[in-house]
Every structure is written in C-alpha cells, then in structure tokens.
Amino acid sequence: MKEDVKLLSVLSKKNVTPPPIWLMRQAGRYLPEYRALRAKAGSFWTMCMSPEMAKEITLQPIQRFGFDSAILFSDILTIPYALGLDVVFEESIGPTLTPITTTDALRRDEKEWARRLSPAYETLRMVRAELDSQTALLGFAGAPWTLATYMAEGKGSSDQRAAKLWGYNDPQGFARLLDILGDCVALHLVRQLDAGADAVQLFDSWASGLPEREFADWVIAPTKRIVEKVRAVKPDAKIIGFPRATTLAGYEAYANETGVDAVSIDTAVPPRWAAKILGKRVAVQGNLDPIALIAGGDALAAAVDRIVDAFEGVPFIFNLGHGILPETPVEHVAQLIACVRSSA
Ligand code: CP3
C-alpha cells in the first residue's frame, strides 16, 4: 500500500487532517480547457473512447488545482455499450440507448466486454505514467441498479419507472439483468485496478425512492456481490460506494452490509449523523452542496467548516454531495481547496 497517498490512507480507515479532496465530475464543462477540447473533439463519447483525449481531460483538474485524486474520464454507460447496446449522447438531451425488456440481446462474452471497455484501461495506464506519486488515481463504474434504469428506459428517467416495472413484473428476468451487469462491472473494476487505478467508486446515482425490500435486492445485494467478486481477485481492493439520495436507514444498511471501504453521501445527509453512524464502519466521503460551490464567498467557507468539523476524528474524504455543475466559477473551486487545506 502507498502509505503516503492521503486518499488511500483514509480508505484504510486512517484519520487524515486536513482531509484529502477531489470532486465528482471534476473534469468537465466548468473548466474552459475542457470546453476547448470538447469543441475540438465534437462529442463527449468520442472523448471517452479516445485514450489520448481522456488522459488529457483526466489530468486537467489536477494540473489546475492539485486535487488529491484524479478520476478516470469516462462514463457509466460504457457498460451497456460493452454489453452490446448502442449508446448515443445527444447535445443538450443527454444519453439515449436502445431500451431492453429482456436480457436476450446482451452479449455474454468477457473478451468482447474487455475489448469494448479497453479505452478506459489505456487511459488509466497513460494517466498513471504522468501522475505524481502523491496523487491517487480512481477508476469507477455505474452500479447495476442505476445502469438498469438507463437500459430499461432507454434514457434518463425521473422515477425509474421502466426498471421498477421490470423488477416487479419479472423478478427472475430482472435478477438475471442485475447479475449480468454485476459480472461486467466486476470485470471492469478489476481491469481498472490492473491498469493502475488505486481505488474504484461505484455510482448508484438513482438509489433514491426505492422501498426497503427493493433497496436490499436491487442496490445492496448486487453491490455486495461485486465487492466479493473483485476481492476474490484483488483482496486489497479499495472500493467507495455512492448510493445517492437513499434514506439514512438505507445508507446505514449499505455501509454495514455491502463490504465497501467508504460511503459517499449526498448533500442532504447530516454530516454529524454520518460521522457517528457510518464512521463506525466505513470511511465517509462528501458532501458539500454543489450549489454552495456556485455561491462561493462566506457561504462556501462556512459550509466547508461545518462539514470538516463534523468529521473530526473520522476517516474522511472531502467531496461534493453530487457532481460539480457546469456553471461553477473556477475561482470558487480554488477557494474551496484553500478552505479545506487550511481547515486543520
Ligand atoms: O467524476 C468524474 O469527473 C469522472 C467522469 C464521469 C462522468 N460521468 C463524465 C461526464 C463520471 C464518473 C460520470 C458518471 C455518470 N454518468 C453518472 C453517475 C454520476 C452522477 O452524476 O450521478 C451518470 C448518471 C452518467 C450518465 C450521464 N453522463 C448523463 C446522464 C450525462 C448527461 C448529463 C450531463 O451532465 O450532461 C452524462 C454526460 C457526462 N458525463 C458529462 C461528463 C463530463 C458531460 C458531457 C459533456 O456534455 O461534455
């Protein structure tokens, strides 16, 4: 283990002050250098699939701000693409893909999965070669439930209706879908760790609004299965889970039952509750309101202090409660990092 990398120390349950910081979507549209490259590339998906460009974008926020971790530039929808679905990102509409109602059309060939996912591995190898040794490198994947919501609906949805209906009407078929997704996600995480990622994060961005039983079956159980599959190959793998906007009871069950090393919490979770309850079991990551980062100034400074104070004595990674928004002023990100680094 690289003991001098702050983020990895925290994932080994050590308390580090000031806490390491990175931001979800830190490589993205709020950065002028990202927008410039995006204009040249033409499309977001082209950038995800071109290791040279993805490397440059992954490193942009590190070069500008010196975050404690880089995160692979890619997207969670590379997994449905690996399974054979067409994924299209349309300007100002978001992603669309061929909706499915059965698992019949999904490819089950691990070699083909790895081939379609290989731009991510090449990107990680290239980033690793240029990244200084103090900065961690994170890989990631979407979690099965969140991926299933896009695959069932064919696009983003506000109430995850198509996936829920599939799960309620055809529990066996839906369980098969979550298993196939889990196999592909586990392979993807292992390959990313092989390619130089120090740790990985599972994004379950649509974990909100599930009944207790379905949260257990569709979020907790598939996540636990992935953690076990990855650790069977890589016993020391460090895994962060983000069951965004579940209930407090949901977060607690997730922290206790999935086996992840850290739980990323959304903006609405009370920091003192998370420090006390989740901090007993896992490292905690979060949870500044992305809109407080747009506001900047005194409101931002006060929000940072409240969060850092709440996690005193707990292994903690500073992050947002969700991804950074495109309208965020870059100076506010610099202010945020300065606040966190002087907070000890
Ligand atoms: O955090 C990072 O910087 C790593 C890269 C990353 C992206 N997306 C880049 C991206 C990661 C980890 C994701 C995860 C992702 N992708 C999630 C889960 C996390 C979350 O935000 O809840 C989801 C649901 C997706 C699917 C997705 N990708 C959607 C719905 C959209 C369109 C909405 C939007 O914000 O435009 C994307 C596009 C996307 N993914 C962009 C980036 C930088 C913007 C692309 C662009 O237009 O330039």
Coordinates of all heavy atoms in Angstrom, one line a residue, residues 259-297:
G259 N -19.8 -4.3 2.3 CA -18.4 -4.6 2.3 C -17.5 -3.5 1.7 O -16.3 -3.6 1.6
V260 N -18.1 -2.3 1.3 CA -17.3 -1.2 0.7 C -16.5 -0.6 1.8 O -16.8 -0.7 3.0 CB -18.2 -0.1 0.1 CG1 -19.0 -0.7 -1.1 CG2 -19.1 0.5 1.1
D261 N -15.4 0.0 1.4 CA -14.4 0.7 2.4 C -14.9 2.1 2.8 O -14.6 2.6 3.8 CB -13.0 0.8 1.8 CG -12.5 -0.6 1.4 OD1 -12.1 -1.3 2.3 OD2 -12.6 -1.0 0.2
A262 N -15.6 2.7 1.9 CA -16.1 4.1 2.1 C -17.4 4.3 1.5 O -17.8 3.6 0.5 CB -15.1 5.1 1.5
V263 N -18.2 5.2 2.1 CA -19.5 5.5 1.5 C -19.5 7.0 1.2 O -19.2 7.8 2.1 CB -20.7 5.2 2.5 CG1 -22.0 5.7 2.0 CG2 -20.8 3.6 2.7
S264 N -19.9 7.3 0.0 CA -20.1 8.7 -0.4 C -21.5 9.2 -0.1 O -22.4 8.5 -0.5 CB -19.7 8.8 -1.9 OG -19.4 10.1 -2.3
I265 N -21.7 10.3 0.5 CA -23.0 10.7 0.9 C -23.4 12.0 0.1 O -22.6 12.8 -0.2 CB -23.1 11.0 2.5 CG1 -22.0 12.0 2.9 CG2 -22.9 9.7 3.2 CD1 -22.1 12.5 4.3
D266 N -24.8 12.1 -0.1 CA -25.3 13.2 -0.9 C -25.5 14.4 0.1 O -25.4 14.3 1.3 CB -26.6 12.8 -1.6 CG -27.7 12.6 -0.6 OD1 -28.4 13.6 -0.2 OD2 -27.9 11.4 -0.2
T267 N -25.8 15.5 -0.5 CA -25.9 16.8 0.1 C -26.8 16.8 1.3 O -26.6 17.6 2.3 CB -26.4 17.9 -0.9 OG1 -25.4 17.9 -2.0 CG2 -26.5 19.2 -0.3
A268 N -27.9 16.1 1.3 CA -28.9 16.2 2.3 C -28.6 15.4 3.6 O -29.3 15.5 4.6 CB -30.3 15.7 1.8
V269 N -27.5 14.5 3.6 CA -27.2 13.7 4.7 C -26.6 14.6 5.8 O -25.6 15.3 5.5 CB -26.3 12.6 4.4 CG1 -25.9 11.8 5.6 CG2 -26.9 11.7 3.3
P270 N -27.1 14.6 7.1 CA -26.5 15.4 8.1 C -25.1 14.9 8.4 O -24.9 13.7 8.8 CB -27.4 15.1 9.3 CG -28.7 14.6 8.8 CD -28.3 13.9 7.5
P271 N -24.0 15.7 8.3 CA -22.7 15.3 8.5 C -22.4 14.6 9.8 O -21.7 13.6 9.9 CB -21.8 16.6 8.3 CG -22.7 17.4 7.4 CD -24.1 17.1 7.8
R272 N -23.0 15.2 10.9 CA -22.7 14.6 12.2 C -23.3 13.2 12.4 O -22.8 12.3 13.0 CB -23.2 15.5 13.4 CG -22.3 16.7 13.5 CD -22.6 17.6 14.7 NE -21.8 18.8 14.5 CZ -20.5 18.8 14.9 NH1 -19.9 17.8 15.4 NH2 -19.8 19.9 14.7
W273 N -24.5 13.0 11.8 CA -25.1 11.7 11.8 C -24.2 10.7 11.0 O -23.9 9.6 11.5 CB -26.5 11.7 11.1 CG -27.1 10.4 11.0 CD1 -27.9 9.7 11.9 CD2 -26.9 9.5 9.9 NE1 -28.2 8.5 11.4 CE2 -27.6 8.3 10.2 CE3 -26.2 9.5 8.7 CZ2 -27.7 7.2 9.4 CZ3 -26.3 8.4 7.8 CH2 -27.0 7.2 8.2
A274 N -23.7 11.2 9.8 CA -22.8 10.3 9.0 C -21.5 9.9 9.8 O -21.1 8.8 9.7 CB -22.5 10.9 7.7
A275 N -21.0 10.9 10.4 CA -19.7 10.7 11.1 C -19.9 9.7 12.3 O -19.1 8.7 12.4 CB -19.2 12.0 11.7
K276 N -21.0 9.8 13.0 CA -21.3 9.0 14.1 C -21.7 7.6 13.7 O -21.2 6.6 14.2 CB -22.4 9.6 15.0 CG -22.7 8.9 16.2 CD -23.5 9.7 17.2 CE -24.1 8.9 18.3 NZ -25.5 9.1 18.5
I277 N -22.6 7.5 12.8 CA -23.2 6.2 12.4 C -22.4 5.4 11.3 O -22.0 4.3 11.5 CB -24.7 6.3 12.0 CG1 -25.5 7.0 13.1 CG2 -25.3 5.0 11.6 CD1 -25.6 6.3 14.4
L278 N -22.2 6.1 10.2 CA -21.4 5.4 9.1 C -19.9 5.3 9.5 O -19.3 4.3 9.2 CB -21.6 6.2 7.8 CG -23.0 6.5 7.3 CD1 -23.0 7.2 6.0 CD2 -23.8 5.2 7.2
G279 N -19.4 6.4 10.2 CA -18.0 6.4 10.5 C -17.5 5.3 11.4 O -16.4 5.0 11.6
K280 N -18.5 4.6 12.1 CA -18.1 3.4 12.9 C -17.6 2.3 12.1 O -16.9 1.4 12.5 CB -19.4 2.9 13.6 CG -19.8 3.7 14.9 CD -20.8 2.9 15.7 CE -22.1 2.8 14.9 NZ -23.4 3.0 15.7
R281 N -18.1 2.3 10.8 CA -17.9 1.1 10.0 C -17.1 1.4 8.8 O -16.3 0.5 8.4 CB -19.4 0.7 9.5 CG -19.5 -0.6 9.0 CD -19.2 -1.7 10.0 NE -19.1 -3.0 9.2 CZ -20.0 -3.9 9.4 NH1 -21.0 -3.8 10.3 NH2 -19.9 -5.0 8.7
V282 N -17.2 2.6 8.2 CA -16.5 2.8 6.9 C -15.9 4.3 6.9 O -16.3 5.0 7.8 CB -17.5 2.8 5.7 CG1 -18.0 1.3 5.5 CG2 -18.7 3.7 5.9
A283 N -15.1 4.6 6.0 CA -14.7 6.0 5.7 C -15.9 6.6 5.1 O -16.7 6.0 4.4 CB -13.4 6.0 4.9
V284 N -15.9 8.0 5.2 CA -17.1 8.7 4.7 C -16.5 9.8 3.7 O -15.4 10.3 3.9 CB -17.9 9.4 5.8 CG1 -19.1 10.1 5.2 CG2 -18.4 8.4 6.8
Q285 N -17.3 10.0 2.6 CA -16.9 11.0 1.6 C -18.1 11.9 1.3 O -19.2 11.4 1.2 CB -16.5 10.2 0.3 CG -16.2 11.1 -0.9 CD -15.7 10.3 -2.1 OE1 -14.5 10.0 -2.1 NE2 -16.6 10.0 -3.0
G286 N -17.8 13.2 1.2 CA -18.9 14.1 0.9 C -18.6 15.5 1.4 O -17.5 15.8 1.8
N287 N -19.7 16.2 1.5 CA -21.0 16.2 0.9 C -21.4 17.6 0.7 O -22.6 18.0 0.9 CB -22.0 15.3 1.7 CG -22.5 16.0 3.0 OD1 -21.8 16.8 3.6 ND2 -23.7 15.6 3.4
L288 N -20.5 18.5 0.3 CA -20.8 19.9 0.1 C -21.9 20.0 -1.0 O -21.8 19.4 -2.0 CB -19.5 20.6 -0.4 CG -19.7 22.1 -0.7 CD1 -19.9 22.9 0.6 CD2 -18.5 22.7 -1.5
D289 N -22.8 20.9 -0.8 CA -23.8 21.2 -1.8 C -23.2 21.9 -3.0 O -22.5 22.9 -2.9 CB -24.8 22.2 -1.1 CG -26.0 22.5 -2.0 OD1 -26.0 22.1 -3.2 OD2 -27.0 23.2 -1.5
P290 N -23.3 21.2 -4.2 CA -22.7 21.8 -5.4 C -23.2 23.3 -5.7 O -22.5 24.0 -6.3 CB -23.2 20.9 -6.5 CG -23.6 19.6 -5.9 CD -24.0 20.0 -4.5
I291 N -24.3 23.6 -5.1 CA -24.8 25.0 -5.3 C -24.2 26.0 -4.4 O -24.0 27.1 -4.7 CB -26.4 25.0 -5.3 CG1 -26.9 24.2 -6.5 CG2 -26.9 26.4 -5.4 CD1 -28.4 23.9 -6.5
A292 N -23.7 25.5 -3.2 CA -22.9 26.3 -2.3 C -21.6 26.7 -3.0 O -21.0 27.7 -2.7 CB -22.7 25.6 -1.0
L293 N -21.1 25.7 -3.8 CA -19.9 26.0 -4.6 C -20.1 27.0 -5.7 O -19.2 27.8 -5.9 CB -19.3 24.7 -5.1 CG -18.0 24.7 -5.8 CD1 -16.9 25.2 -4.9 CD2 -17.6 23.3 -6.3
I294 N -21.2 27.1 -6.2 CA -21.5 28.1 -7.2 C -21.6 29.5 -6.5 O -21.1 30.5 -7.0 CB -22.9 27.9 -7.9 CG1 -22.8 26.6 -8.8 CG2 -23.3 29.1 -8.8 CD1 -24.1 26.2 -9.6
A295 N -22.2 29.4 -5.2 CA -22.3 30.7 -4.5 C -21.0 31.3 -4.1 O -20.7 32.5 -4.2 CB -23.2 30.4 -3.2
G296 N -20.1 30.4 -3.6 CA -18.7 30.9 -3.2 C -18.8 31.8 -2.0 O -19.8 31.8 -1.2
G297 N -17.7 32.5 -1.7 CA -17.7 33.5 -0.6 C -17.9 32.9 0.7 O -17.5 31.8 1.0

